[in-house]
Amino acid sequence: MSQPRQSQALVIVNTDFHSSDGDVVFGTRRGAKREAEKLSNILSRLNYKVKLMHNKTAKEIEDLYQQECCCEHGEYFVSIISSHGEEGVIFGCDSEPVKLTRIFQILSSEKCPVLTKIPKIFFIQACRGQEFDQGVVVECDSGEPKPVCEPDCFSDYLSIPPQTVVMFACSPGYVAFLNISGSMFLQALLKVLEGEERHLALNRLMTRINWEVAFCCQARGIYEGCKEMPCFVTNLLQEVFPFSA
């Protein structure tokens, strides 16, 4: 009897950023490398065939997703991206942007038929703007809260291919926090994958990550007290259990 194909996982972590002239452009992302290695190890234990890629340029990142179109895939495709970013964009180690719409286009049914029916799951640890989330009071008797103007990113959501889930570390327009111990978002993902929550359906698992970050995490140091709110978008047509190995 032939063995079933392993599900695939692609983990991309950029920690050092330089321009074409060799100048340092962004700060070093301390803690991100070790965090990505831990995630790769746990995905391997959950029966994923993992590719862990460090410090890739914008072109190399696109090429990595192009290569997935030629691979054999199991039940799921999981990708974790950890880098600097802004709304709709993550940066290669050459400080050049990669539009998320470009990645989604590469994995679309037209460009990548092998992944058409396979759930594609993204976890993206990157800033989506420059605003700082000061948190909210869950219950209060004060006046009405001021409305928050957020960038229109609906077009990015429309570009997500069928059978795809994308979970972002933070809300549109806001920063995503990272320190030497790791990021709020991916540390919460690690905790969930190491616990019994990994057996949950994906939408419930992601909601658990939202709760973990919202209620159990806050920034330290000069950003003491600042919060973060992950969010996800999905166009799956059924419940999936990608980590219930």
Side-chain angles (χ1 to χ4, degrees):
M1 182 182 294
S2 61
Q3 293 291 322
R5 295 173 181 171
Q6 271 187 298
S7 293
Q8 304 286 318
L10 174 60
V11 181
I12 301 171
V13 53
N14 286 342
T15 56
D16 300 291
F17 299 80
H18 298 84
S19 67
S20 57
D21 299 327
D23 297 326
V24 175
V25 178
F26 299 118
T28 300
R29 302 181 65 247
R30 300 173 64 196
K33 180 180 179 181
R34 183 171 61 176
E35 184 174 68
E37 289 170 347
K38 288 181 179 178
L39 284 164
S40 298
N41 289 336
I42 195 166
L43 286 171
S44 295
R45 295 201 300 271
L46 296 175
N47 202 33
Y48 280 82
K49 183 178 180 182
V50 182
K51 300 173 187 174
L52 174 58
M53 301 294 174
H54 295 279
N55 289 326
K56 295 300 178 181
T57 65
K59 177 64 165 59
E60 289 171 336
I61 290 171
E62 289 192 16
D63 289 345
L64 285 169
Y65 287 103
Q66 293 278 11
Q67 292 167 19
E68 293 301 323
C69 302
C70 305
C71 293
E72 291 189 343
H73 288 268
E75 289 186 81
Y76 304 102
F77 172 69
V78 171
S79 187
I80 299 172
I81 303 173
S82 179
S83 186
H84 284 300
E86 57 188 37
E87 181 53 46
V89 165
I90 56 100
F91 288 99
C93 68
D94 55 351
S95 304
E96 292 297 319
V98 181
K99 288 187 176 181
L100 294 177
T101 51
R102 173 59 181 154
I103 293 174
F104 300 148
Q105 181 186 46
I106 291 170
L107 300 180
S108 66
S109 301
E110 296 77 16
K111 303 285 186 181
C112 189
V114 297
L115 283 174
T116 298
K117 297 181 179 180
I118 295 173
K120 296 165 281 293
I121 305 160
F122 288 84
F123 297 94
I124 300 177
Q125 167 60 36
C127 292
R128 302 179 70 187
Q130 299 180 1
E131 295 293 322
F132 291 92
D133 188 343
Q134 303 297 332
V136 296
V137 178
V138 178
E139 295 182 8
C140 67
D141 293 324
S142 60
E144 290 295 318
K146 294 180 181 179
V148 177
C149 295
E150 294 184 345
D152 181 8
C153 53
F154 194 62
S155 59
D156 289 340
Y157 292 168
L158 290 177
S159 72
I160 294 173
Q163 288 291 87
T164 301
V165 180
V166 184
M167 188 169 197
F168 299 93
C170 56
S171 301
Y174 287 87
V175 300
F177 291 102
L178 172 76
N179 59 42
I180 195 169
S181 301
S183 64
M184 295 182 187
F185 175 55
L186 294 184
Q187 288 298 307
L189 174 60
L190 269 170
K191 183 176 180 180
V192 167
L193 294 183
E194 290 172 338
E196 290 303 308
E197 295 98 333
R198 71 179 185 275
H199 299 297
L200 295 172
L202 183 60
N203 62 323
R204 293 185 62 197
L205 181 146
M206 289 181 163
T207 302
R208 176 64 190 181
I209 292 172
N210 279 356
W211 184 92
E212 184 73 28
V213 175
F215 286 98
C216 302
C217 301
Q218 68 177 27
R220 296 177 290 180
I222 61 173
Y223 303 116
E224 181 73 37
C226 286
K227 304 288 286 184
E228 187 174 295
M229 188 64 243
C231 56
F232 61 89
V233 59
T234 174
N235 58 20
L236 290 180
L237 301 176
Q238 71 284 332
E239 287 192 326
V240 297
F241 301 81
F243 306 114
S244 186

